[in-house]
Amino acid sequence: MATSQEYWNELGKNSVLLNAMSNWRDDPELWFSKSVNRLPETVRVNYLREEWRWVEKWLLKIGAKKIDWFRDTQGSAWTLPFERGKAEGEIKSIISSLHRTGRITRQEAVSMIPTIALNVKPGEVVLDMCSSPGSKTTQIAENLQNKGLVIANEIANNRINTLVSNIQRHGNKTCMIIQHDGRHIPKIMDNGFDKILVDVPCTGSGTTRKNPEVWKKWLPSGSRSLHKLQVELLTKAINLTKPGGRIVYSTCSLDPVENEAVIAEILRNSPVEILSAENILKSIPYDEGYTVWPKLDDSGNKNNDLDLEKSMLPPTESFIIDSLKKCVRIWNDKIDGSGFFISILEKKIDVINNDIGKNSFLDKNTKPDPDNFPNPIGKELREMIVKHFGKCPENLWIRGKKISWSTDEAMR
């Protein structure tokens, strides 16, 4: 353990990331002091399960502490008295069982904040645009309280199995899983989604406490290579949101090119405004967003001669500069966890979504194959269920031999 920690320390001290940090903050050493040690194990308790009170009593018994700033209505979050993955003996077995049965979800604490910012209410229709492994999706489901719908999208084949597994173990009835390139998700719903979470692919420069590879691999050019994708994903999310709806953009990156630069480009071209987080993320320690940032080469040094696209540069428009100050920067040393960036956007209410409803998932004239796509159960199967069990819940869906239970919103 000591040797491993020394290795992490050396990686960090000689990293491009630490050099870059000296151009982003006046006190990079303070940031570094809270960016190397292992993260503690943190979990979320699922209040949709009847046993949640017992789970919380057990967590208290083993010395876990409630996370004070966690303010979700349908769950609680806890810091356990050991590092991630270091539980032993009976405690390890119980944690594994609780997670496997959906009573708790292992999730990094700072990763819970974007869903808090989304402020999901029961009955809403929500899109989690880049959802695997599903911890934020299940957090959204807990806030829906089994009323509404969250569509969990994941493009990568090697990640969607993890998403399916995590949603199934959670046991809620509000999740629907799709597989699309987020930039090309069809426009569904009459007016658009109520809320969309856009937790985009990023370089992960805020995740050094759980992933030492970041110290070795992170380069400013990596941020620039993802910038266009991040802009396109957020642009699509705004198009899919109903007027007056909320979009939360988040990354586990600290590089302004992946964060404030993306938001600035969005403000130039999309009908949204940034909401202040002051009354939304109460008790969570954060700094405001940057309005200026340097050009960095792949040594992490300032280089004003770099030829970057305009969308990656600090804004000159006064309304954008003022808006970026409402963005949320969560620093490792301020929250004693990982770093994160969050921007809470609201689509302007006077926008008309003329093309919502076009290009839906299915051609309305085509009957889907029941073996390849979920369909509401038919009369014959419903009568069979009533005969065997005495009653049949509403909104049952069938795909092949598998039956799922969903909500009214999934029928729309």
Side-chain angles (χ1 to χ4, degrees):
M1 173 65 187
T3 303
S4 177
Q5 188 61 62
E6 287 179 10
Y7 174 66
W8 280 33
N9 291 343
E10 288 304 311
L11 284 178
K13 288 176 181 177
N14 297 294
S15 67
V16 173
L17 178 56
L18 181 57
N19 200 30
M21 189 59 60
S22 67
N23 291 296
W24 295 334
R25 282 183 50 163
D26 294 331
D27 53 356
E29 292 302 326
L30 177 60
W31 171 83
F32 181 73
S33 69
K34 298 290 187 179
S35 301
V36 182
N37 291 341
R38 304 293 200 279
L39 286 169
E41 187 80 73
T42 50
V43 300
R44 230 178 50 240
V45 176
N46 180 6
Y47 280 12
L48 296 180
R49 295 303 185 91
E50 294 180 359
E51 306 86 355
W52 66 266
R53 290 182 181 84
W54 179 91
V55 174
E56 289 192 337
K57 288 180 181 178
W58 182 81
L59 289 170
L60 282 169
K61 182 180 177 181
I62 67 168
K65 295 182 179 179
K66 221 172 194 179
I67 298 175
D68 292 337
W69 52 253
F70 188 84
R71 290 286 186 267
D72 265 1
T73 57
Q74 278 301 112
S76 60
W78 299 73
T79 300
L80 279 57
F82 41 79
E83 294 175 353
R84 282 166 56 99
K86 296 297 183 180
E88 297 179 346
E90 182 182 44
I91 290 177
K92 180 178 180 179
S93 298
I94 293 175
I95 287 175
S96 179
S97 296
L98 292 175
H99 179 81
R100 189 172 59 251
T101 57
R103 290 167 175 83
I104 65 171
T105 295
R106 287 168 167 157
Q107 184 181 7
E108 186 179 352
V110 74
S111 173
M112 304 173 191
I113 299 175
T115 302
I116 297 174
L118 202 60
N119 194 30
V120 174
K121 304 295 184 184
E124 291 182 330
V125 180
V126 183
L127 172 64
D128 187 354
M129 182 174 269
C130 311
S131 58
S132 189
S135 54
K136 296 181 183 70
T137 306
T138 55
Q139 187 180 352
I140 291 170
E142 288 162 15
N143 283 279
L144 288 173
Q145 300 179 40
N146 280 330
K147 299 173 185 176
L149 179 67
V150 52
I151 296 180
N153 178 63
E154 176 55 48
I155 184 175
N157 287 327
N158 62 341
R159 289 171 58 86
I160 200 163
N161 287 337
T162 303
L163 175 63
V164 170
S165 175
N166 278 325
I167 287 176
Q168 286 181 339
R169 70 161 184 83
H170 188 258
N172 70 81
K173 64 174 185 176
T174 52
C175 288
M176 178 187 296
I177 299 171
I178 61 173
Q179 186 174 16
H180 276 270
D181 183 327
R183 296 169 294 181
H184 307 297
I185 291 177
K187 299 194 172 194
I188 63 171
M189 318 308 298
D190 292 337
N191 297 310
F193 288 93
D194 295 300
K195 287 166 183 173
I196 298 182
L197 177 61
V198 193
D199 188 55
V200 294
C202 69
T203 57
S205 51
T207 66
T208 53
R209 288 187 65 178
K210 68 176 180 180
N211 182 12
E213 293 299 308
V214 173
W215 291 121
K216 293 194 292 184
K217 295 182 178 180
W218 186 87
L219 295 173
S221 57
S223 297
R224 296 193 287 270
S225 70
L226 288 171
H227 173 84
K228 181 181 178 183
L229 170 65
Q230 292 161 342
V231 170
E232 290 176 348
L233 286 168
L234 183 52
T235 299
K236 183 63 174 181
I238 293 166
N239 291 338
L240 292 171
T241 304
K242 72 179 185 181
R246 179 175 295 187
I247 309 102
V248 169
Y249 175 84
S250 63
T251 78
C252 51
S253 170
L254 302 173
D255 190 338
V257 169
E258 298 181 78
N259 297 327
E260 288 90 348
V262 171
I263 300 302
E265 182 67 4
I266 289 298
L267 290 172
R268 292 185 186 101
N269 300 295
S270 297
V272 293
E273 59 182 359
I274 300 180
L275 301 181
S276 170
E278 184 177 357
N279 295 320
I280 300 172
L281 300 180
K282 295 178 180 179
S283 304
I284 297 174
Y286 65 84
D287 288 359
E288 65 182 26
Y290 286 159
T291 57
V292 295
W293 52 88
K295 297 179 181 179
L296 298 181
D297 61 28
D298 272 354
S299 297
N301 296 317
K302 289 182 184 179
N303 186 342
N304 292 327
D305 294 330
L306 282 176
D307 184 19
L308 302 185
E309 295 182 24
K310 179 183 177 182
S311 64
M312 300 181 189
L313 301 176
T316 56
E317 306 93 328
S318 59
F319 84 96
I320 295 180
I321 292 171
D322 291 339
S323 296
L324 289 183
K325 295 176 183 178
K326 298 178 184 177
C327 293
V328 172
R329 280 191 158 265
I330 299 172
W331 293 100
N332 308 56
D333 55 304
K334 300 292 181 68
I335 203 167
D336 195 19
S338 289
F340 233 80
F341 175 88
I342 296 171
S343 184
I344 308 169
L345 303 110
E346 183 173 275
K347 187 167 183 177
K348 294 181 179 178
I349 204 160
D350 57 350
V351 176
I352 299 174
N353 283 357
N354 290 319
D355 52 357
I356 290 290
K358 296 179 181 179
N359 305 318
S360 61
F361 289 110
L362 293 173
D363 184 335
K364 296 184 184 300
N365 297 317
T366 302
K367 186 175 181 180
D369 181 351
D371 291 328
N372 293 315
F373 198 89
N375 282 285
I377 65 170
K379 180 180 178 182
E380 183 178 344
L381 180 55
R382 181 175 295 277
E383 290 176 349
M384 186 184 303
I385 292 173
V386 171
K387 180 179 178 180
H388 283 274
F389 298 102
K391 60 181 180 180
C392 180
E394 295 297 322
N395 295 332
L396 292 183
W397 295 67
I398 187 169
R399 179 183 181 186
K401 296 181 180 180
K402 184 175 181 179
I403 297 176
S404 300
W405 186 21
S406 192
T407 60
D408 290 341
E409 289 76 14
M411 298 288 291
R412 287 160 53 183

